[in-house]
């Protein structure tokens, strides 16, 4: 199992690209999120052909803004098989479908839609309203053999995610969590609130401007981990 980030920035951190990642799990390549810089990054790095499956954490533009571009490129330019959009709930599928209808008219022409529970090794954690009020969002947990990768999505309150992890069987775990260095930014987790959860897991921060990283932050930032970048 492997994770490679295509970007590590937030919506306004344009120098660091939108946070998105490719996770290889159980022999399949899964793209997590497809923000407005993700499509061009996949093209520039010649990685678009690797995308078999797509998972979205939520429908903010920096997480889904170039999804239609990706689907159209696969169909029109590459003439490749349709990628599969995995969805955790029927309600979220309907939201993604309506979002895509505005841009491609008939989403079924460009993507398969498959319930996440049919894909062994990935679990969703419902984080509704914990990033933005009234907004559906999800964190994801990937497992293969004796390893676990956790991807927070955008999450202002981490308790629900770590409560879920505490009730799962013990496995070597790497947590990739969105992070903010501004305590007034309640849509993301202030770094000090993650410190109590560092015991027993590897913790990495993303979705931030790394130049603002305070000197007392013990959480390693993905941006500086070159082996984690695509």
């Amino acid at each position: 199992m492997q994770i490679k980030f295509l970007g590590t920035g937030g919506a306004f951190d344009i120098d660091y690209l939108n946070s998105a990642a490719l996770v290889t799990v159980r022999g399949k390549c899964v793209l997590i999120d497809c923000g407005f810089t993700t499509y061009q990054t996949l093209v520039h790095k010649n990685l678009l052909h690797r995308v078999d499956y797509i998972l979205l954490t939520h429908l903010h533009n920096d997480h889904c803004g170039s999804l239609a571009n990706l689907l159209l490129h696969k169909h029109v330019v590459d003439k490749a098989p349709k990628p599969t959009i995995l969805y955790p709930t029927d309600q979220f599928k309907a939201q993604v479908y309506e979002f895509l209808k505005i841009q491609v008219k008939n989403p079924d022409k460009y993507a398969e839609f498959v319930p996440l529970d049919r894909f062994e090794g990935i679990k969703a954690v419902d984080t509704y309203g914990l990033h933005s009020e009234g907004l559906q969002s999800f964190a994801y947990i990937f497992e293969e053999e004796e390893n676990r990768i956790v991807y927070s999505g955008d999450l202002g309150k981490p308790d629900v995610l770590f409560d879920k992890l505490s009730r799962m069987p013990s496995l070597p775990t790497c947590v990739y969590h969105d992070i903010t260095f501004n305590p007034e930014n309640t849509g993301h987790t202030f770094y000090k609130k993650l410190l109590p959860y560092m015991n027993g897991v590897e913790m990495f921060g993303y979705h931030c401007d790394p130049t603002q990283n305070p000197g007392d932050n013990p959480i390693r930032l993905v941006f500086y981990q070159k082996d984690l970048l695509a």
Side-chain angles (χ1 to χ4, degrees):
M1 190 162 56
Q2 181 187 72
I3 186 168
K4 294 288 186 179
F5 279 76
L6 300 162
T8 63
F12 310 112
D13 304 317
I14 57 174
D15 290 336
Y16 310 105
L17 307 180
N18 297 148
S19 289
L22 293 170
V23 177
T24 305
V25 56
R26 310 208 179 203
K28 305 295 185 182
C29 185
V30 181
L31 172 66
I32 310 177
D33 285 338
C34 193
F36 50 84
T37 68
T38 305
Y39 162 72
Q40 69 184 41
T41 302
L42 287 165
V43 172
H44 288 160
K45 292 182 176 292
N46 194 29
L47 292 169
L48 194 64
H49 68 282
R50 292 194 57 207
V51 178
D52 301 316
Y53 295 85
I54 299 165
L55 271 176
L56 298 177
T57 60
H58 62 292
L59 293 180
H60 277 161
N61 198 36
D62 59 319
H63 293 263
C64 66
S66 68
L67 178 59
N69 301 67
L70 184 155
L71 298 180
L72 289 167
H73 187 118
K74 286 269 196 180
H75 181 82
V76 176
V77 179
D78 293 344
K79 296 179 171 49
K82 295 185 286 188
T84 297
I85 296 176
L86 300 167
Y87 59 90
T89 66
D90 289 340
Q91 182 183 31
F92 192 60
K93 175 197 173 183
Q95 292 177 4
V96 174
Y97 199 89
E98 287 301 312
F99 167 77
L100 285 172
K101 271 181 67 176
I102 298 169
Q103 301 172 77
V104 300
K105 189 174 182 180
N106 180 11
D108 293 308
K109 181 177 178 180
Y110 303 100
E112 300 285 350
F113 291 83
V114 174
L116 180 60
D117 58 15
R118 293 188 191 172
F119 192 114
E120 188 177 359
I122 308 177
K123 296 181 177 67
V125 180
D126 190 338
T127 57
Y128 175 84
L130 298 180
H131 168 51
S132 181
E133 184 177 357
L135 180 74
Q136 180 64 67
S137 57
F138 295 95
Y140 292 105
I141 299 171
F142 302 82
E143 292 183 347
E144 183 176 327
E145 296 177 351
E146 296 301 313
N147 290 286
R148 179 181 292 139
I149 286 174
V150 180
Y151 193 93
S152 70
D154 286 2
L155 184 56
K157 297 178 180 178
D159 313 59
V160 64
L161 176 57
F162 287 97
D163 178 64
K164 172 73 172 180
L165 289 173
S166 72
R167 292 183 280 109
M168 297 178 70
S170 179
L171 284 177
T173 299
C174 287
V175 176
Y176 300 92
H177 208 291
D178 62 308
I179 195 170
T180 181
F181 308 124
N182 177 6
E184 296 180 1
N185 182 350
T186 57
H188 299 280
T189 298
F190 184 52
Y191 74 101
K192 290 185 178 180
K193 292 185 178 180
L194 286 170
L195 304 188
Y197 300 111
M198 292 185 68
N199 291 335
V201 304
E202 283 194 272
M203 182 86 74
F204 297 90
Y206 73 97
H207 204 285
C208 61
D209 177 349
T211 66
Q212 301 303 308
N213 190 23
D216 66 347
N217 177 26
I219 301 169
R220 288 171 288 174
L221 300 186
V222 171
F223 178 78
Y224 294 119
Q225 313 302 312
K226 299 308 179 186
D227 59 323
L228 293 176
L229 303 179

